[in-house]
Amino acid sequence: MLLCAPALSAQPEASGENWLHYGGTEKSWRYSSLSQINTANVKRLAPAWMLQTGDPDGGLQVTPIVENGVMYLSTSRNRVYAIDAKNGAELWQYRYEVPKDFTLIYGPWNRGVAIAGGRVFMGTIDNHVVALDQKTGRELWRVQIEDSRQCGCNITAAPLVVKGLVVTGVTGGDSAHRGYVTALDQKTGRVAWKFWTIPGPGEPGHETWAGDSWKFGGGSSWMTGSYDAELGLIYWSIGNPAADFHGASRAGKNLYTDSVVALEADTGKLRWYHQQIPHDVWDFDTAYENVLLDADVKGTRRKLLVNVNKGGIAFVVDRTNGKFINAWHVVKNLNWVKGVSETGELVGRNEPEVGKTKVLCPSIGGGRSWNQAAYSPRTSLFYTTGIEWCQEVTAQEEKPSEGQTYFGGTFKLVAPPDKDPHGHLGAYDPVTGKRQWTYRSKYPLLASQLATAGDVVFTGDVEGNFFALDARTGARLWNFQTGSGHRGSPIAYSVAGRMYVAAPTGLGSALAGLMSQLWPETEKFRGGSTLVVFALPEEGK
Amino acid sequence: MRRWNWLVAALPLAAQTPLAGQVAAGQLEEGARIFQQGCAVGYCHGAGGAASRGPRLRGRTFARDYLIRTVANGLPGTAMPPFKGRLKEAEIAAVADYVMSLRDISESAAAQAVVASASGTIHTAPADPGRELFFDAVRGTRCGTCHALDGLGAAIGPDVLKPDKSRTPKTVRLKTGESFPGVVLGTEGGSTVVYDLTGDPPVRRSLLATEIAAISAGSVWKHDTGRGRYSAAEMRQIEAFLTKARGR
């Protein structure tokens, strides 16, 4: 249940005093209705407090959660801190026992906790879900979803809390593994339902996998879903099929990989799906956030879902039935497909080949990474990043071995044909994709966006700058060097009438390492794990 | 078995390094092939050791012993997995030699080396069908959900190789009136830790003394016979595997 602050009741899609969900609210707008900090005064923003987590490996990739003046923050190795959100004082901490004899390619990062019913929930580095007492941090229950030593999978995303359930995805999409979404009872930890992302024998969609390929076909669910309470539907994005670059052994559409699935919250039953990339051979997951917004389409108000995939294409569908509305792209350098037809089909596929090296754009790192977009109802603009980079990719046949990597190829980053690799943040019409403005960055932008009612968009770059842009023009209004790059998700909240903006800092992750292939100097960029919280200076102090 | 197109580009490259005199040409080819299949892939070390999620290996100097040890044992606490068991000793040495040969490699040469390498598979041990069923992931809940064996699975129920009574379920009654069959693990940080067997998979719960009404011997819980999860023939295969494992 949402504990509604007064500011929330007017607009359930916006965060107010509290930041209760990973995406701000269940609709994943990453938009705050707070306006104390605005375009006129943002240049006076100054640090209010900081928290050094002491756990820098993998950087700080979290979205903090705030409720009634208390912040809940998880770090790479599943430490959880409860902090007084006005001054940074620690209220309690919890340290998950990470197995010592343990290696895994997905991690060690963690992207956040969820709170509901007096409990704090977190997925773990070794594929457990834990529930903590929200007041004390005491562990209440813990469930192993699947043995990570066997599946080669784990949980790095924040859970979604919905109707007495805690819903979690799983990594493992680049390994020989069959993915799922799991819902547990918040009170007891008992599994309420499980949705297999690859249908088993006898289930519809099973025929889209040749032979035994369904057993090892990936289909991870590695980010956090969204929820429409009115429709009772959970929207989860399903990642790429495995082997990533080599599809010969998995002939067929490979449902429900590279799809958005709409699941009935009570049962986990599939209501509809929309597959963006049938038979993906590029590792272009439909893995990222589902932004639920309403907008006019040809003069009619529609309930929409916007999802930008790793291939750099934004798909807009009707969230009541999954019907395709439009597709638009967030990068200039995109040659894996010629385009998307008016009915949503990919046209002109350009696939990797065995034993032959091809230049494909964008790179496996994505036309955009998982760091999330924001949507402002004030500007009706959708703020998302894009990365201009390409790769030389060579497919190869690999034999699946359960829980082991299963990529089906190798790649090497290269500059795009115009020799201008870079990152950018754009403001788009969420339906048509018409771009209003672009903010250019030397390197990929790997932090989420935060939009506010003060018409400011906040984000950070990998060089350590945390900055504010004018939501209407893209002009940079303010900048603060935080000392390490940004790979997490900033949030806004307020305590006792004072608005704060919290920025997780500390570079890490797969992409932070990958970047060095194209920008060798980034190998020496400093890591870290510090939350920096900003506010306007108080009068008379 | 497919016939490899051997890594022709690696030969002149290897000749540029001081190692060339010490390492047989076939060793580098073998190392390059294994590297391409198991180390260069996806987000790991990148083609030619160019760096990705894993650190750059190209243009760096490592001790051979260190490389062999790391490939064999992995680096616990990181993303680097152990390859012991998946690769033979000689194959691990070949990978180490290949990585050492990347020390003086230029970027273009490394990329070329990867292009020239052929498809293949890394060695995996043949599995016992009973063992596969014991851990069969596509069933969701399987034997390994509650029984640990060979470092896999959860140690909730008894050790299947040396069963004893310490993991016999008891009845846990809470002051809220809730009652469930549970395996009691002991106390930890002031809490009693219990596996609640009504969950599938079982839920590890930490209960304060003030929450517990009573824990008593005996419970309504019965071991799953495997019906619905495994066929009779599959159960026989699992039993045969366990009999063999107990005799080890």
Side-chain angles (χ1 to χ4, degrees):
Chain A
M1 279 301 129
L2 276 174
L3 295 169
C4 286
L8 270 175
S9 53
Q11 199 167 41
E13 297 87 352
S15 276
E17 182 183 340
N18 296 325
W19 187 280
L20 293 173
H21 288 269
Y22 183 70
T25 69
E26 297 152 325
K27 291 193 171 173
S28 301
W29 285 12
R30 292 192 176 268
Y31 170 77
S32 169
S33 62
L34 302 175
S35 58
Q36 191 178 82
I37 298 164
N38 54 50
T39 52
N41 62 20
V42 68
K43 64 174 77 69
R44 293 172 50 220
L45 214 52
W49 56 268
M50 292 192 244
L51 180 94
Q52 301 202 36
T53 73
D55 186 15
D57 188 17
L60 187 59
Q61 304 192 21
V62 72
T63 295
I65 298 291
V66 175
E67 184 180 47
N68 301 332
V70 180
M71 177 183 287
Y72 304 88
L73 181 87
S74 60
T75 71
S76 283
R77 291 179 185 275
N78 296 123
R79 292 183 196 174
V80 184
Y81 294 95
I83 308 151
D84 185 326
K86 64 183 181 301
N87 59 25
E90 181 181 312
L91 304 175
W92 54 255
Q93 65 166 278
Y94 165 83
R95 292 193 180 198
Y96 182 71
E97 289 168 68
V98 176
K100 288 194 170 54
D101 60 340
F102 168 81
T103 69
L104 193 72
I105 64 162
Y106 313 96
W109 39 83
N110 185 276
R111 296 179 182 138
V113 299
I115 55 169
R119 297 177 186 83
V120 178
F121 305 100
M122 174 176 62
T124 74
I125 190 169
D126 63 343
N127 206 24
H128 287 62
V129 174
V130 295
L132 312 177
D133 184 308
Q134 192 175 346
K135 283 206 175 71
T136 63
R138 188 176 76 85
E139 185 177 305
L140 300 173
W141 55 255
R142 180 196 302 191
V143 180
Q144 176 168 273
I145 304 299
E146 194 183 9
D147 190 335
S148 57
R149 293 164 300 185
Q150 182 182 345
C151 69
C153 66
N154 67 348
I155 304 171
T156 54
L160 174 72
V161 287
V162 161
K163 295 182 87 173
L165 300 174
V166 49
V167 188
T168 178
V170 69
T171 66
D174 309 314
S175 306
H177 182 245
R178 179 187 178 210
Y180 42 76
V181 178
T182 313
L184 303 96
D185 184 292
Q186 290 174 3
K187 283 189 189 143
T188 64
R190 289 169 197 151
V191 170
W193 52 258
K194 189 162 192 156
F195 173 78
W196 292 96
T197 61
I198 299 177
E203 293 173 332
H206 184 68
E207 73 286 354
T208 65
W209 294 85
D212 274 352
S213 62
W214 64 280
K215 292 182 179 175
F216 300 122
S220 64
S221 48
W222 57 278
M223 289 304 294
T224 305
S226 298
Y227 177 60
D228 185 324
E230 199 183 316
L231 297 172
L233 292 177
I234 292 172
Y235 302 96
W236 217 281
S237 305
I238 311 304
N240 61 285
D244 301 35
F245 295 132
H246 188 267
S249 62
R250 50 175 170 84
K253 282 184 173 180
N254 305 145
L255 293 173
Y256 298 99
T257 63
D258 289 298
S259 304
V260 173
V261 294
L263 307 176
E264 291 174 6
D266 295 321
T267 60
K269 200 172 153 245
L270 180 71
R271 178 76 67 81
W272 58 255
Y273 71 91
H274 176 259
Q275 189 177 37
Q276 298 175 352
I277 311 176
H279 192 74
D280 177 6
V281 284
W282 302 274
D283 185 16
F284 281 160
D285 306 54
T286 301
Y288 305 156
E289 74 280 7
N290 292 311
V291 182
L292 311 184
L293 55 89
D294 298 352
D296 291 339
V297 178
K298 291 173 187 157
T300 308
R301 201 72 175 164
R302 299 282 289 270
K303 290 177 187 291
L304 303 177
L305 179 154
V306 183
N307 176 288
V308 185
N309 70 22
K310 209 171 158 199
I313 301 179
F315 278 84
V316 185
V317 299
D318 182 323
R319 72 174 180 275
T320 66
N321 56 21
K323 201 168 173 290
F324 174 80
I325 302 279
N326 193 25
W328 46 274
H329 53 91
V330 303
V331 282
K332 181 175 70 177
N333 291 289
L334 191 156
N335 73 352
W336 61 278
V337 70
K338 280 207 165 63
V340 180
S341 76
E342 282 186 359
T343 50
E345 279 89 37
L346 300 180
V347 181
R349 293 163 65 106
N350 180 15
E351 304 191 352
E353 289 176 40
V354 173
K356 188 178 157 192
T357 298
K358 263 190 173 178
V359 175
L360 290 172
C361 314
S363 89
I364 185 177
R368 205 200 87 180
S369 183
W370 59 262
N371 46 300
Q372 298 198 335
Y375 171 71
S376 166
R378 285 175 54 86
T379 60
S380 297
L381 291 172
F382 185 88
Y383 304 95
T384 185
T385 54
I387 310 173
E388 306 296 343
W389 54 2
C390 302
Q391 65 188 351
E392 290 173 353
V393 57
T394 315
Q396 66 183 3
E397 189 184 346
E398 288 168 22
K399 188 181 165 210
S401 176
E402 186 180 15
Q404 306 293 340
T405 56
Y406 190 33
F407 282 102
T410 57
F411 67 93
K412 177 178 173 286
L413 298 191
V414 294
D418 65 3
K419 310 283 178 223
D420 182 26
H422 67 280
H424 50 75
L425 167 59
Y428 301 84
D429 179 301
V431 180
T432 66
K434 184 168 179 283
R435 202 191 293 206
Q436 294 292 323
W437 54 255
T438 305
Y439 172 85
R440 187 190 159 101
S441 170
K442 183 177 179 187
Y443 303 108
L445 289 164
L446 301 181
S448 296
Q449 283 68 63
L450 164 67
T452 71
D455 287 345
V456 178
V457 173
F458 290 94
T459 195
D461 66 27
V462 297
E463 295 175 275
N465 298 295
F466 186 63
F467 53 93
L469 304 179
D470 185 315
R472 296 182 190 276
T473 65
R476 187 148 114 168
L477 304 172
W478 170 82
N479 180 66
F480 186 89
Q481 173 54 253
T482 61
S484 179
H486 292 245
R487 188 54 170 136
S489 304
I491 64 157
Y493 63 93
S494 70
V495 185
R498 192 180 189 202
M499 177 178 174
Y500 298 83
V501 173
T505 75
L507 195 58
S509 85
L511 252 61
L514 192 59
M515 275 194 310
S516 69
Q517 288 191 12
L518 211 44
W519 296 278
E521 67 275 21
T522 62
E523 186 180 280
K524 290 181 180 160
F525 279 15
R526 299 179 309 271
S529 180
T530 302
L531 185 79
V532 186
V533 180
F534 300 91
L536 292 171
E538 290 178 294
E539 299 292 327
K541 285 192 182 173
Chain B
M1 197 64 165
R2 132 198 320 264
R3 190 177 157 78
W4 317 121
N5 290 316
W6 291 112
L7 175 58
V8 283
L11 289 176
L13 292 173
Q16 295 164 9
T17 74
L19 267 174
Q22 303 157 23
V23 182
Q27 179 89 340
L28 280 182
E29 292 160 356
E30 175 75 347
R33 180 184 71 76
I34 297 165
F35 190 89
Q36 170 77 0
Q37 281 282 316
C39 317
V41 294
Y43 295 104
C44 299
H45 291 289
S52 182
R53 164 73 214 291
R56 173 173 54 84
L57 301 176
R58 193 178 65 210
R60 294 178 64 183
T61 306
F62 298 97
R64 188 170 186 269
D65 285 355
Y66 170 79
L67 289 173
I68 289 175
R69 212 164 52 236
T70 306
V71 175
N73 303 328
L75 291 170
T78 74
M80 177 66 195
F83 283 87
K84 198 166 53 188
R86 297 177 65 202
L87 294 175
K88 296 170 193 157
E89 240 172 75
E91 291 173 321
I92 290 173
V95 171
D97 286 334
Y98 171 70
V99 171
M100 290 187 75
S101 79
L102 299 174
R103 188 175 72 183
D104 300 322
I105 240 167
S106 71
E107 192 164 324
S108 58
Q112 210 186 348
V114 169
V115 176
S117 75
S119 168
T121 55
I122 57 175
H123 163 82
T124 47
D128 182 299
R131 186 184 189 281
E132 292 221 322
L133 289 164
F134 192 93
F135 291 114
D136 189 6
V138 300
R139 282 160 215 269
T141 305
R142 60 268 199 182
C143 305
T145 302
C146 297
H147 297 282
L149 184 67
D150 296 343
L152 285 183
I156 298 169
D159 183 334
V160 288
L161 300 185
K162 286 183 228 153
D164 64 28
K165 302 249 189 261
S166 68
R167 294 295 174 101
T168 304
K170 295 176 177 167
T171 299
V172 180
R173 279 204 309 279
L174 303 183
K175 288 183 179 159
T176 57
E178 186 187 356
S179 170
F180 59 87
V183 172
V184 180
L185 296 185
T187 55
E188 196 179 292
S191 298
T192 300
V193 181
V194 178
Y195 271 111
D196 175 352
L197 301 182
T198 55
D200 179 7
V203 181
R204 186 188 192 271
R205 295 171 69 168
S206 302
L207 302 166
L208 294 174
T210 51
E211 292 179 278
I212 301 170
I215 296 178
S216 48
S219 81
V220 296
W221 183 84
K222 281 199 181 74
H223 189 273
D224 194 309
T225 58
R227 266 198 302 269
R229 300 194 200 281
Y230 297 104
S231 69
E234 287 172 334
M235 286 299 283
R236 281 196 294 278
Q237 283 181 300
I238 294 169
E239 280 157 20
F241 159 66
L242 291 177
T243 304
K244 205 162 67 188
R246 286 181 189 124
R248 283 191 303 218

